[in-house]
Amino acid sequence: MNKLDALLTRLKARQRELILQAADYDAMPADSTLKRIAELENAIAAVEAVADEEANKRRE
């Protein structure tokens, strides 16, 4: 597993943890929790984009 894949795995795992924790409560999650989930989503998308770019470079 390369470094980008490892980072992606860690980011997704943390986001999943936060989502599952938020689901344990009947109330709306705190704004800070929602912000962290959204920030992780942005980071995941960025890492996936870089990983795709690197994969395309290797194919050329």
Side-chain angles (χ1 to χ4, degrees):
M1 179 181 288
N2 70 35
K3 292 179 182 182
L4 289 175
D5 289 337
L7 174 58
L8 190 57
T9 298
R10 291 192 307 270
L11 290 169
K12 286 181 177 182
R14 181 61 183 138
Q15 185 186 46
R16 180 179 169 79
E17 289 172 15
L18 287 172
I19 291 169
L20 291 174
Q21 287 172 4
D24 284 338
Y25 299 97
D26 290 333
M28 185 71 173
D31 286 344
S32 60
T33 300
L34 293 174
K35 183 178 178 181
R36 284 187 290 175
I37 291 169
E39 288 171 346
L40 285 164
E41 188 64 28
N42 288 335
I44 289 166
V47 172
E48 287 175 337
V50 171
D52 286 345
E53 289 173 6
E54 293 298 311
N56 287 335
K57 282 182 186 179
R58 285 191 297 270
R59 285 187 211 125
E60 293 176 355

Short mmCIF file of all heavy atoms in Angstrom, two decimals:
data_model
loop_
_atom_site.label_atom_id
_atom_site.label_comp_id
_atom_site.label_asym_id
_atom_site.label_seq_id
_atom_site.Cartn_x
_atom_site.Cartn_y
_atom_site.Cartn_z
N MET A 1 0.86 -1.19 0.00
CA MET A 1 0.00 0.00 0.00
C MET A 1 0.90 1.24 0.00
O MET A 1 1.78 1.36 0.83
CB MET A 1 -0.89 -0.03 1.24
CG MET A 1 -1.80 1.18 1.36
SD MET A 1 -2.85 1.19 2.80
CE MET A 1 -4.02 -0.07 2.41
N ASN A 2 0.65 2.14 -0.93
CA ASN A 2 1.49 3.33 -0.97
C ASN A 2 1.04 4.36 0.07
O ASN A 2 0.00 4.20 0.72
CB ASN A 2 1.57 3.92 -2.38
CG ASN A 2 0.28 4.55 -2.84
OD1 ASN A 2 -0.45 5.15 -2.06
ND2 ASN A 2 0.00 4.45 -4.12
N LYS A 3 1.80 5.42 0.18
CA LYS A 3 1.53 6.44 1.21
C LYS A 3 0.18 7.12 1.02
O LYS A 3 -0.52 7.40 2.00
CB LYS A 3 2.65 7.47 1.21
CG LYS A 3 3.96 6.93 1.70
CD LYS A 3 5.03 7.99 1.67
CE LYS A 3 6.35 7.42 2.11
NZ LYS A 3 7.40 8.45 2.13
N LEU A 4 -0.20 7.38 -0.22
CA LEU A 4 -1.49 8.01 -0.46
C LEU A 4 -2.65 7.10 -0.08
O LEU A 4 -3.64 7.55 0.50
CB LEU A 4 -1.61 8.44 -1.93
CG LEU A 4 -0.75 9.62 -2.35
CD1 LEU A 4 -0.88 9.85 -3.86
CD2 LEU A 4 -1.09 10.88 -1.59
N ASP A 5 -2.51 5.82 -0.39
CA ASP A 5 -3.55 4.86 -0.01
C ASP A 5 -3.67 4.76 1.52
O ASP A 5 -4.78 4.68 2.05
CB ASP A 5 -3.25 3.48 -0.59
CG ASP A 5 -3.46 3.41 -2.09
OD1 ASP A 5 -4.22 4.24 -2.62
OD2 ASP A 5 -2.85 2.54 -2.73
N ALA A 6 -2.53 4.78 2.18
CA ALA A 6 -2.54 4.69 3.65
C ALA A 6 -3.21 5.93 4.25
O ALA A 6 -4.01 5.83 5.19
CB ALA A 6 -1.12 4.54 4.18
N LEU A 7 -2.88 7.09 3.71
CA LEU A 7 -3.50 8.33 4.19
C LEU A 7 -5.00 8.30 3.94
O LEU A 7 -5.80 8.66 4.82
CB LEU A 7 -2.86 9.54 3.49
CG LEU A 7 -3.50 10.90 3.79
CD1 LEU A 7 -3.48 11.20 5.28
CD2 LEU A 7 -2.79 11.98 2.99
N LEU A 8 -5.40 7.87 2.76
CA LEU A 8 -6.81 7.79 2.42
C LEU A 8 -7.55 6.86 3.38
O LEU A 8 -8.65 7.19 3.85
CB LEU A 8 -6.97 7.33 0.98
CG LEU A 8 -8.35 7.41 0.36
CD1 LEU A 8 -8.90 8.83 0.41
CD2 LEU A 8 -8.30 6.91 -1.07
N THR A 9 -6.95 5.76 3.70
CA THR A 9 -7.56 4.81 4.64
C THR A 9 -7.75 5.45 6.01
O THR A 9 -8.80 5.30 6.64
CB THR A 9 -6.68 3.54 4.74
OG1 THR A 9 -6.64 2.92 3.45
CG2 THR A 9 -7.24 2.57 5.76
N ARG A 10 -6.73 6.17 6.48
CA ARG A 10 -6.84 6.83 7.79
C ARG A 10 -7.92 7.91 7.80
O ARG A 10 -8.70 8.01 8.76
CB ARG A 10 -5.49 7.44 8.20
CG ARG A 10 -4.43 6.42 8.51
CD ARG A 10 -3.22 7.05 9.19
NE ARG A 10 -2.64 8.18 8.47
CZ ARG A 10 -1.69 8.08 7.54
NH1 ARG A 10 -1.21 6.90 7.20
NH2 ARG A 10 -1.20 9.17 6.96
N LEU A 11 -7.97 8.70 6.74
CA LEU A 11 -8.98 9.76 6.67
C LEU A 11 -10.39 9.19 6.66
O LEU A 11 -11.28 9.67 7.37
CB LEU A 11 -8.75 10.62 5.42
CG LEU A 11 -7.52 11.51 5.42
CD1 LEU A 11 -7.28 12.08 4.03
CD2 LEU A 11 -7.63 12.61 6.45
N LYS A 12 -10.60 8.16 5.85
CA LYS A 12 -11.92 7.55 5.78
C LYS A 12 -12.32 6.90 7.10
O LYS A 12 -13.48 6.97 7.51
CB LYS A 12 -11.97 6.51 4.65
CG LYS A 12 -12.00 7.14 3.28
CD LYS A 12 -12.06 6.07 2.19
CE LYS A 12 -12.18 6.66 0.81
NZ LYS A 12 -12.28 5.61 -0.23
N ALA A 13 -11.37 6.28 7.75
CA ALA A 13 -11.66 5.64 9.04
C ALA A 13 -12.07 6.68 10.08
O ALA A 13 -13.03 6.48 10.83
CB ALA A 13 -10.45 4.85 9.52
N ARG A 14 -11.36 7.80 10.12
CA ARG A 14 -11.69 8.85 11.09
C ARG A 14 -13.06 9.45 10.79
O ARG A 14 -13.85 9.69 11.70
CB ARG A 14 -10.60 9.93 11.09
CG ARG A 14 -10.86 11.03 12.08
CD ARG A 14 -10.92 10.50 13.51
NE ARG A 14 -11.23 11.57 14.42
CZ ARG A 14 -12.08 11.48 15.43
NH1 ARG A 14 -12.67 10.33 15.70
NH2 ARG A 14 -12.32 12.51 16.20
N GLN A 15 -13.34 9.68 9.51
CA GLN A 15 -14.64 10.23 9.14
C GLN A 15 -15.75 9.26 9.53
O GLN A 15 -16.77 9.66 10.08
CB GLN A 15 -14.68 10.53 7.65
CG GLN A 15 -15.97 11.22 7.22
CD GLN A 15 -16.06 11.38 5.73
OE1 GLN A 15 -15.79 10.45 4.99
NE2 GLN A 15 -16.45 12.57 5.29
N ARG A 16 -15.52 7.99 9.29
CA ARG A 16 -16.51 6.97 9.65
C ARG A 16 -16.77 6.95 11.15
O ARG A 16 -17.91 6.87 11.60
CB ARG A 16 -16.04 5.61 9.15
CG ARG A 16 -16.97 4.47 9.47
CD ARG A 16 -16.42 3.15 8.91
NE ARG A 16 -17.16 2.02 9.41
CZ ARG A 16 -18.33 1.61 8.97
NH1 ARG A 16 -18.92 2.26 7.99
NH2 ARG A 16 -18.92 0.55 9.49
N GLU A 17 -15.70 7.04 11.93
CA GLU A 17 -15.84 7.08 13.39
C GLU A 17 -16.72 8.25 13.82
O GLU A 17 -17.61 8.09 14.67
CB GLU A 17 -14.47 7.23 14.05
CG GLU A 17 -13.60 6.02 13.99
CD GLU A 17 -12.18 6.31 14.49
OE1 GLU A 17 -11.97 7.36 15.14
OE2 GLU A 17 -11.29 5.50 14.21
N LEU A 18 -16.45 9.42 13.26
CA LEU A 18 -17.24 10.61 13.63
C LEU A 18 -18.70 10.46 13.24
O LEU A 18 -19.60 10.82 14.01
CB LEU A 18 -16.66 11.85 12.95
CG LEU A 18 -15.34 12.37 13.51
CD1 LEU A 18 -14.79 13.48 12.63
CD2 LEU A 18 -15.51 12.86 14.93
N ILE A 19 -18.96 9.90 12.08
CA ILE A 19 -20.35 9.72 11.62
C ILE A 19 -21.07 8.73 12.52
O ILE A 19 -22.21 8.96 12.94
CB ILE A 19 -20.37 9.27 10.15
CG1 ILE A 19 -19.92 10.42 9.25
CG2 ILE A 19 -21.77 8.78 9.76
CD1 ILE A 19 -19.66 10.03 7.81
N LEU A 20 -20.40 7.63 12.86
CA LEU A 20 -21.04 6.64 13.72
C LEU A 20 -21.26 7.19 15.13
O LEU A 20 -22.30 6.90 15.75
CB LEU A 20 -20.18 5.37 13.77
CG LEU A 20 -20.15 4.57 12.46
CD1 LEU A 20 -19.16 3.41 12.57
CD2 LEU A 20 -21.53 4.08 12.08
N GLN A 21 -20.35 7.99 15.63
CA GLN A 21 -20.54 8.63 16.94
C GLN A 21 -21.73 9.58 16.90
O GLN A 21 -22.53 9.62 17.83
CB GLN A 21 -19.27 9.38 17.36
CG GLN A 21 -18.14 8.49 17.77
CD GLN A 21 -16.84 9.25 17.98
OE1 GLN A 21 -16.80 10.47 17.89
NE2 GLN A 21 -15.77 8.52 18.26
N ALA A 22 -21.84 10.34 15.82
CA ALA A 22 -22.94 11.29 15.70
C ALA A 22 -24.28 10.56 15.62
O ALA A 22 -25.30 11.05 16.12
CB ALA A 22 -22.74 12.16 14.46
N ALA A 23 -24.28 9.38 15.03
CA ALA A 23 -25.52 8.61 14.88
C ALA A 23 -26.01 8.05 16.21
O ALA A 23 -27.19 7.70 16.33
CB ALA A 23 -25.30 7.47 13.89
N ASP A 24 -25.14 7.99 17.21
CA ASP A 24 -25.53 7.46 18.52
C ASP A 24 -26.49 8.39 19.27
O ASP A 24 -27.13 7.97 20.22
CB ASP A 24 -24.30 7.21 19.39
CG ASP A 24 -23.54 5.96 18.96
OD1 ASP A 24 -24.16 5.08 18.31
OD2 ASP A 24 -22.35 5.87 19.29
N TYR A 25 -26.59 9.64 18.85
CA TYR A 25 -27.42 10.61 19.55
C TYR A 25 -28.65 10.95 18.72
O TYR A 25 -28.60 10.97 17.50
CB TYR A 25 -26.62 11.89 19.83
CG TYR A 25 -25.42 11.62 20.71
CD1 TYR A 25 -24.16 11.44 20.16
CD2 TYR A 25 -25.55 11.53 22.09
CE1 TYR A 25 -23.05 11.18 20.96
CE2 TYR A 25 -24.46 11.26 22.89
CZ TYR A 25 -23.21 11.09 22.33
OH TYR A 25 -22.13 10.82 23.12
N ASP A 26 -29.75 11.21 19.42
CA ASP A 26 -30.99 11.56 18.74
C ASP A 26 -30.99 13.00 18.23
O ASP A 26 -31.75 13.34 17.34
CB ASP A 26 -32.19 11.35 19.67
CG ASP A 26 -32.46 9.88 19.94
OD1 ASP A 26 -32.11 9.05 19.08
OD2 ASP A 26 -33.00 9.57 21.02
N ALA A 27 -30.15 13.83 18.80
CA ALA A 27 -30.09 15.24 18.43
C ALA A 27 -29.21 15.44 17.21
O ALA A 27 -28.45 14.56 16.81
CB ALA A 27 -29.55 16.05 19.60
N MET A 28 -29.32 16.61 16.64
CA MET A 28 -28.46 17.00 15.53
C MET A 28 -27.02 17.08 16.04
O MET A 28 -26.78 17.57 17.14
CB MET A 28 -28.91 18.37 15.01
CG MET A 28 -28.20 18.84 13.80
SD MET A 28 -28.69 17.88 12.38
CE MET A 28 -27.89 18.78 11.11
N PRO A 29 -26.06 16.58 15.26
CA PRO A 29 -24.65 16.66 15.70
C PRO A 29 -24.22 18.12 15.87
O PRO A 29 -24.75 19.02 15.21
CB PRO A 29 -23.88 16.00 14.56
CG PRO A 29 -24.87 15.23 13.80
CD PRO A 29 -26.19 15.90 13.98
N ALA A 30 -23.26 18.33 16.73
CA ALA A 30 -22.73 19.67 16.94
C ALA A 30 -22.14 20.20 15.64
O ALA A 30 -21.65 19.44 14.80
CB ALA A 30 -21.66 19.63 18.03
N ASP A 31 -22.19 21.51 15.50
CA ASP A 31 -21.63 22.14 14.30
C ASP A 31 -20.16 21.77 14.14
O ASP A 31 -19.69 21.57 13.01
CB ASP A 31 -21.78 23.65 14.37
CG ASP A 31 -23.21 24.10 14.12
OD1 ASP A 31 -24.02 23.29 13.63
OD2 ASP A 31 -23.52 25.27 14.43
N SER A 32 -19.43 21.67 15.24
CA SER A 32 -18.00 21.33 15.15
C SER A 32 -17.81 19.92 14.60
O SER A 32 -16.88 19.68 13.82
CB SER A 32 -17.34 21.46 16.52
OG SER A 32 -17.95 20.60 17.47
N THR A 33 -18.69 19.01 14.95
CA THR A 33 -18.60 17.65 14.43
C THR A 33 -18.91 17.63 12.94
O THR A 33 -18.21 16.98 12.16
CB THR A 33 -19.57 16.71 15.19
OG1 THR A 33 -19.22 16.71 16.58
CG2 THR A 33 -19.51 15.30 14.65
N LEU A 34 -19.95 18.35 12.56
CA LEU A 34 -20.30 18.42 11.14
C LEU A 34 -19.16 19.06 10.34
O LEU A 34 -18.86 18.61 9.23
CB LEU A 34 -21.59 19.21 10.96
CG LEU A 34 -22.85 18.56 11.53
CD1 LEU A 34 -24.03 19.52 11.41
CD2 LEU A 34 -23.15 17.25 10.84
N LYS A 35 -18.54 20.07 10.91
CA LYS A 35 -17.44 20.73 10.22
C LYS A 35 -16.26 19.77 10.04
O LYS A 35 -15.66 19.71 8.97
CB LYS A 35 -16.99 21.96 11.02
CG LYS A 35 -15.90 22.74 10.35
CD LYS A 35 -15.53 23.98 11.15
CE LYS A 35 -14.40 24.71 10.45
NZ LYS A 35 -13.98 25.90 11.19
N ARG A 36 -15.95 18.98 11.07
CA ARG A 36 -14.85 18.01 10.95
C ARG A 36 -15.17 16.96 9.91
O ARG A 36 -14.29 16.57 9.12
CB ARG A 36 -14.57 17.35 12.30
CG ARG A 36 -13.82 18.28 13.25
CD ARG A 36 -13.40 17.57 14.49
NE ARG A 36 -14.62 17.30 15.26
CZ ARG A 36 -14.66 16.60 16.38
NH1 ARG A 36 -13.58 16.07 16.87
NH2 ARG A 36 -15.80 16.41 17.02
N ILE A 37 -16.41 16.49 9.86
CA ILE A 37 -16.80 15.50 8.85
C ILE A 37 -16.65 16.09 7.45
O ILE A 37 -16.11 15.44 6.55
CB ILE A 37 -18.25 15.02 9.11
CG1 ILE A 37 -18.31 14.17 10.39
CG2 ILE A 37 -18.77 14.22 7.91
CD1 ILE A 37 -19.72 13.88 10.88
N ALA A 38 -17.10 17.34 7.27
CA ALA A 38 -16.99 18.00 5.97
C ALA A 38 -15.53 18.24 5.59
O ALA A 38 -15.15 18.05 4.43
CB ALA A 38 -17.75 19.32 5.99
N GLU A 39 -14.71 18.65 6.55
CA GLU A 39 -13.29 18.87 6.27
C GLU A 39 -12.60 17.57 5.86
O GLU A 39 -11.76 17.56 4.96
CB GLU A 39 -12.60 19.49 7.48
CG GLU A 39 -12.99 20.94 7.70
CD GLU A 39 -12.47 21.50 9.02
OE1 GLU A 39 -12.03 20.72 9.90
OE2 GLU A 39 -12.53 22.73 9.19
N LEU A 40 -12.98 16.48 6.52
CA LEU A 40 -12.42 15.18 6.15
C LEU A 40 -12.86 14.79 4.74
O LEU A 40 -12.07 14.24 3.98
CB LEU A 40 -12.83 14.11 7.16
CG LEU A 40 -12.07 14.17 8.49
CD1 LEU A 40 -12.78 13.35 9.55
CD2 LEU A 40 -10.64 13.70 8.30
N GLU A 41 -14.11 15.10 4.40
CA GLU A 41 -14.60 14.79 3.04
C GLU A 41 -13.78 15.55 2.00
O GLU A 41 -13.42 14.99 0.96
CB GLU A 41 -16.08 15.14 2.92
CG GLU A 41 -16.70 14.69 1.63
CD GLU A 41 -16.73 13.18 1.46
OE1 GLU A 41 -16.76 12.44 2.45
OE2 GLU A 41 -16.72 12.73 0.28
N ASN A 42 -13.47 16.80 2.29
CA ASN A 42 -12.64 17.59 1.37
C ASN A 42 -11.24 17.02 1.27
O ASN A 42 -10.67 16.95 0.18
CB ASN A 42 -12.58 19.05 1.83
CG ASN A 42 -13.87 19.78 1.59
OD1 ASN A 42 -14.66 19.42 0.72
ND2 ASN A 42 -14.10 20.83 2.36
N ALA A 43 -10.69 16.60 2.39
CA ALA A 43 -9.35 16.01 2.38
C ALA A 43 -9.34 14.69 1.62
O ALA A 43 -8.41 14.41 0.85
CB ALA A 43 -8.85 15.80 3.81
N ILE A 44 -10.38 13.89 1.80
CA ILE A 44 -10.50 12.62 1.08
C ILE A 44 -10.54 12.88 -0.42
O ILE A 44 -9.84 12.22 -1.20
CB ILE A 44 -11.74 11.83 1.56
CG1 ILE A 44 -11.50 11.31 2.99
CG2 ILE A 44 -12.09 10.71 0.60
CD1 ILE A 44 -12.77 10.82 3.68
N ALA A 45 -11.35 13.85 -0.84
CA ALA A 45 -11.45 14.17 -2.26
C ALA A 45 -10.11 14.65 -2.81
O ALA A 45 -9.72 14.28 -3.93
CB ALA A 45 -12.53 15.23 -2.49
N ALA A 46 -9.39 15.44 -2.03
CA ALA A 46 -8.09 15.94 -2.48
C ALA A 46 -7.08 14.81 -2.63
O ALA A 46 -6.35 14.75 -3.62
CB ALA A 46 -7.57 16.99 -1.51
N VAL A 47 -7.05 13.90 -1.67
CA VAL A 47 -6.12 12.78 -1.74
C VAL A 47 -6.47 11.88 -2.91
O VAL A 47 -5.58 11.42 -3.64
CB VAL A 47 -6.09 11.99 -0.41
CG1 VAL A 47 -5.27 10.72 -0.54
CG2 VAL A 47 -5.53 12.87 0.71
N GLU A 48 -7.76 11.63 -3.13
CA GLU A 48 -8.17 10.81 -4.28
C GLU A 48 -7.76 11.47 -5.59
O GLU A 48 -7.31 10.77 -6.52
CB GLU A 48 -9.68 10.58 -4.24
CG GLU A 48 -10.11 9.62 -3.16
CD GLU A 48 -11.61 9.48 -3.03
OE1 GLU A 48 -12.36 10.38 -3.43
OE2 GLU A 48 -12.04 8.44 -2.49
N ALA A 49 -7.88 12.79 -5.68
CA ALA A 49 -7.49 13.50 -6.90
C ALA A 49 -5.99 13.36 -7.15
O ALA A 49 -5.56 13.10 -8.28
CB ALA A 49 -7.89 14.97 -6.81
N VAL A 50 -5.20 13.53 -6.10
CA VAL A 50 -3.75 13.40 -6.25
C VAL A 50 -3.39 11.96 -6.62
O VAL A 50 -2.53 11.72 -7.48
CB VAL A 50 -3.02 13.86 -4.98
CG1 VAL A 50 -1.53 13.52 -5.04
CG2 VAL A 50 -3.22 15.35 -4.76
N ALA A 51 -4.04 11.00 -6.00
CA ALA A 51 -3.78 9.59 -6.30
C ALA A 51 -4.10 9.29 -7.77
O ALA A 51 -3.35 8.58 -8.44
CB ALA A 51 -4.58 8.69 -5.38
N ASP A 52 -5.21 9.84 -8.26
CA ASP A 52 -5.57 9.66 -9.68
C ASP A 52 -4.54 10.29 -10.60
O ASP A 52 -4.16 9.70 -11.61
CB ASP A 52 -6.95 10.26 -9.97
CG ASP A 52 -8.09 9.42 -9.42
OD1 ASP A 52 -7.85 8.24 -9.07
OD2 ASP A 52 -9.22 9.95 -9.35
N GLU A 53 -4.08 11.49 -10.24
CA GLU A 53 -3.05 12.16 -11.04
C GLU A 53 -1.77 11.32 -11.10
O GLU A 53 -1.16 11.16 -12.16
CB GLU A 53 -2.71 13.53 -10.46
CG GLU A 53 -3.79 14.56 -10.64
CD GLU A 53 -3.50 15.85 -9.89
OE1 GLU A 53 -2.40 16.00 -9.32
OE2 GLU A 53 -4.39 16.72 -9.87
N GLU A 54 -1.38 10.78 -9.97
CA GLU A 54 -0.18 9.95 -9.91
C GLU A 54 -0.35 8.68 -10.72
O GLU A 54 0.57 8.24 -11.41
CB GLU A 54 0.18 9.62 -8.45
CG GLU A 54 0.62 10.82 -7.64
CD GLU A 54 1.88 11.46 -8.19
OE1 GLU A 54 2.85 10.75 -8.46
OE2 GLU A 54 1.87 12.70 -8.36
N ALA A 55 -1.53 8.08 -10.65
CA ALA A 55 -1.80 6.86 -11.43
C ALA A 55 -1.74 7.17 -12.92
O ALA A 55 -1.20 6.36 -13.70
CB ALA A 55 -3.15 6.28 -11.05
N ASN A 56 -2.28 8.30 -13.33
CA ASN A 56 -2.24 8.69 -14.75
C ASN A 56 -0.81 8.94 -15.21
O ASN A 56 -0.46 8.60 -16.34
CB ASN A 56 -3.10 9.94 -14.98
CG ASN A 56 -4.57 9.63 -14.92
OD1 ASN A 56 -5.00 8.50 -15.14
ND2 ASN A 56 -5.37 10.63 -14.60
N LYS A 57 0.01 9.52 -14.36
CA LYS A 57 1.41 9.76 -14.71
C LYS A 57 2.13 8.43 -14.95
O LYS A 57 2.95 8.31 -15.86
CB LYS A 57 2.13 10.52 -13.60
CG LYS A 57 1.83 11.98 -13.57
CD LYS A 57 2.62 12.64 -12.46
CE LYS A 57 2.27 14.08 -12.29
NZ LYS A 57 3.03 14.71 -11.18
N ARG A 58 1.83 7.43 -14.12
CA ARG A 58 2.49 6.14 -14.27
C ARG A 58 2.06 5.43 -15.55
O ARG A 58 2.83 4.66 -16.11
CB ARG A 58 2.19 5.26 -13.05
CG ARG A 58 2.96 5.66 -11.81
CD ARG A 58 2.83 4.62 -10.72
NE ARG A 58 1.47 4.44 -10.24
CZ ARG A 58 0.92 5.11 -9.22
NH1 ARG A 58 1.64 6.01 -8.58
NH2 ARG A 58 -0.30 4.88 -8.85
N ARG A 59 0.83 5.70 -16.00
CA ARG A 59 0.34 5.07 -17.22
C ARG A 59 0.93 5.68 -18.49
O ARG A 59 0.93 5.06 -19.52
CB ARG A 59 -1.18 5.17 -17.28
CG ARG A 59 -1.88 4.24 -16.33
CD ARG A 59 -3.37 4.27 -16.55
NE ARG A 59 -4.02 4.02 -15.28
CZ ARG A 59 -4.92 4.80 -14.70
NH1 ARG A 59 -5.33 5.88 -15.29
NH2 ARG A 59 -5.43 4.50 -13.54
N GLU A 60 1.37 6.92 -18.40
CA GLU A 60 1.88 7.61 -19.59
C GLU A 60 3.25 7.15 -19.99
O GLU A 60 4.01 6.59 -19.36
CB GLU A 60 1.91 9.13 -19.34
CG GLU A 60 0.51 9.70 -19.19
CD GLU A 60 0.53 11.19 -18.85
OE1 GLU A 60 1.60 11.77 -18.63
OE2 GLU A 60 -0.56 11.76 -18.83
#
